[in-house]
Amino acid sequence: MSADASLPEPPAEPHIADEQIQLVDARNRPCGSAPRAAMRRFRFWHRATYVVVRNRRGELCVQRRTLTKEVFPGGLDLAAGGVVGAGEAVHVAARRELAEELGIRGAPLRHLGGFVHDVGGNHIFGSLFLVDHDGPLTLQAEEVADAFWLPPHEALALEGVTPDTRQAVEALLAGGELEAGR
């Protein structure tokens, strides 16, 4: 029997990276590490970085997640970033994630504080960064399906924005960090 070309592709299987994640307690104090799969399964508190990328027109880089992402497959991210590895400093994790996901290296990052995201079984202490970038993007095929630029309020109005990156951009707006000229 031959394959029928008209049949739809089966849904992609989510991929969970095999890495050790820094675990923290409910006060953001390090308390060990666990494999990523265990962190997700048991919904442990952990740290993550959020790097909002802005161009000179004040637009934000919006990323469409691949369908194989373990959380929010196909969703829209308003920040580059991810979980912090065991023993990894948040600024090191932010630079690593920015380089991996968008190919941005060497750009100055501004650390703008943090926030707590405790929604839908995700227990995250988020470290928030802002980077200005007008150069090319090199998308990580395993994680980023597409990227485009939108003004902050238009980006926030999109359907399918991941709740944690929405919270990150809302925090920057509330703090006046995305105003023109800053």
Side-chain angles (χ1 to χ4, degrees):
M1 181 171 174
S2 63
D4 182 355
S6 64
L7 292 177
E9 292 264 338
E13 287 294 318
H15 174 72
I16 299 178
D18 183 24
E19 60 187 334
Q20 287 291 116
I21 304 303
Q22 179 67 60
L23 300 181
V24 294
D25 66 15
R27 292 185 177 169
N28 198 18
R29 297 177 300 202
C31 62
S33 65
R36 181 188 282 259
M39 180 268 295
R40 293 284 182 221
R41 180 176 179 204
F42 298 110
R43 300 178 174 191
F44 292 137
W45 280 97
H46 61 283
R47 294 176 177 160
T49 61
Y50 297 83
V51 184
V52 176
V53 181
R54 175 179 64 180
N55 66 20
R56 79 180 88 202
R57 292 181 306 278
E59 298 168 323
L60 305 184
C61 180
V62 179
Q63 304 172 51
R64 179 166 307 281
R65 298 166 69 86
T66 62
L67 295 176
T68 57
K69 292 291 286 181
E70 66 191 89
V71 179
F72 307 115
L76 297 172
D77 278 333
L78 305 183
V83 298
V84 176
E88 187 177 33
V90 292
H91 71 281
V92 172
R95 287 198 179 285
R96 175 181 52 77
E97 292 284 355
L98 185 61
E100 287 174 3
E101 291 179 14
L102 299 176
I104 300 173
R105 291 173 173 76
L109 295 181
R110 288 183 30 215
H111 185 239
L112 298 172
F115 63 96
V116 176
H117 183 77
D118 188 11
V119 178
N122 291 303
H123 306 294
I124 303 167
F125 283 94
S127 290
L128 192 50
F129 296 85
L130 180 65
V131 64
D132 291 313
H133 180 76
D134 283 297
L137 300 174
T138 303
L139 307 182
Q140 182 182 29
E142 299 83 18
E143 294 194 27
V144 183
D146 188 25
F148 53 94
W149 300 89
L150 285 176
H153 291 288
E154 288 182 34
L156 286 169
L158 292 170
E159 293 212 17
V161 171
T162 58
D164 54 339
T165 66
R166 175 183 301 282
Q167 185 178 351
V169 169
E170 287 172 344
L172 287 179
L173 283 170
E177 297 295 341
L178 296 178
E179 292 175 8
R182 282 195 71 145

